[in-house]
Amino acid sequence: MSAPREDIPIGADEDVVRVRQIVRSFAQRAKLSLVDQTKLVTATSELARNTLTYGGGGTAVVELLGEGRRQGVRASFQDEGPGIPDLTLALTDGWTSGRGMGLGLSGARRLVDEFDLDSEVGRGTTVTVVKWSR
Amino acid sequence: MSAVERIPILKIGDVLLASIQVDLQDRDVLALQEDLAEKITATGAHGVVLDISAVDIVDSFIGRMFATIASTSRLFDAHTVVVGMRPAVAITLVELGLTLGEVRTALDLEKGLAILAELGERAPR
Amino acid sequence: MTIETGRPDNLAELLRAGAPALSARWVELVAAPLRGRVSAPELERELTELYAAVLAGVESGSRDVQAAPYAETRALLSDLSRRRARAGFTPTETAIGVFALKQALFELVDRAEVDGSLGDVAAFSLLLDNLGLLTFETYAKAREEVIDEQAEQLLELTTPVVKLWDGVLAVPLVGTLDSARTQVVMEKLLEALVSTGAAHAIIDITGVLAVDTQVAQHLLKTVMAARLMGAECTISGIRPHIAQTIVGLGIEFGDITTKASLADALRHALRRSGVDVVAAQRGR
């Protein structure tokens, strides 16, 4: 049996909304509390917008995780954009290179249980987040 | 591309009320900002109420819209109150580190209108 | 887990032929240690159903309990062990439900009432061992669920949100605050603000023995979240040594209203909502 998973191309504004809706339904299936659902959906909304704005579009992969008795949702955002030259700076509150408030990456990291950022200048960026049920 | 979702803006007395019922795309957010600015100048309204009781997520983009609407309204001598924020949304915004600037908030529409009335009295024109 | 004996056995025939005697003896063996805590008709119904399912599985030729032909057996067994676990039966009393069938078969073969080879008995024994393991797993899982539920109930019980006045809510916190409990309080209080429309909330920590950084942060976040929703939240009853801890941890309470006692906090909330408390003039 393969784990439930969904791939969502991110190429336009409305895809950000689709990511939110699909992540929400996965979060409900993983039995996350309402607050945790909201945190995860908000984090993925930030990340999907980053993929669109800075990465020039890409793909989101949403998966349901099961580990023992706890369940979780993993969402991964991949683009082939310019990449992030300074990861530490990008994760600092208030730092922004675009139209946001500079809370996108650092804020998203505070909303999830696991956060992984992988970026190479000229090759693209992949951000993966996980939220577990309590 | 789907069409821009126009959020209806109602006028109650000298207050404009926008009730957000849909999952907002970024361009809907921008459209609402423009529509409200236009409507404030056209009607001379002195208050704006954004009802978000049906909104289940507010990210930094939407949060920034509240702040922008509030500061734009101030230019036209109008105050902005955001009403009906859900607990889960509030907790998430705190965690996200988002502050809403000069946006006032109230638990519900009634309390929001009361705040606007009070602000109006304090600064008679 | 795959259990293949490699050669065909007569297990299906054996179980079919021995059915009445086997299942009767099975019920008897299971009933003894349960001492009437499960009624006889109920037990008989449960085990007859299970017997039919096991037989159907065996008849398929597969000896792998994880395979599709045993789906029904697995479902019935997890159901049964979950019920036992919730009803407070011991693991032994639960597992006997499976292992007793083994004994029933041994007895029958031993008395030559049914015709079974050593291979058949061994194959059946392996099969039942695996079903037994399955029982344990479900049993343990169900017990863990029970523990989780109790922990949650306890959490609910220890964090009541009370109404002090029209538009003023309070949560009196008592005991040790951990991160999980503080989070529950936070959510409950904010939910209550919405459902009651109260614009003032008081978190009273007079009864709290200690706070750590995380808990202090959660309290702060609650106050900030309440403010975002349009309500004012006061923290009252901070003991001197907790105040020292908070300062020592370098946590900024900033512009958050704190009051020495719950009474002070209530007075503050009332004043903010336009109510003044004055002593009535007596003896007129």
Side-chain angles (χ1 to χ4, degrees), chain A residues 33-35 39 69 134, chain C residues 141 144-145 148 183 187:
Chain A
S33 74
L34 184 59
V35 171
K39 284 182 180 174
R69 286 192 309 126
R134 264 173 240 290
Chain C
K141 216 185 267 175
E144 276 169 23
E145 282 168 16
D148 281 355
Q183 250 169 308
E187 291 173 30

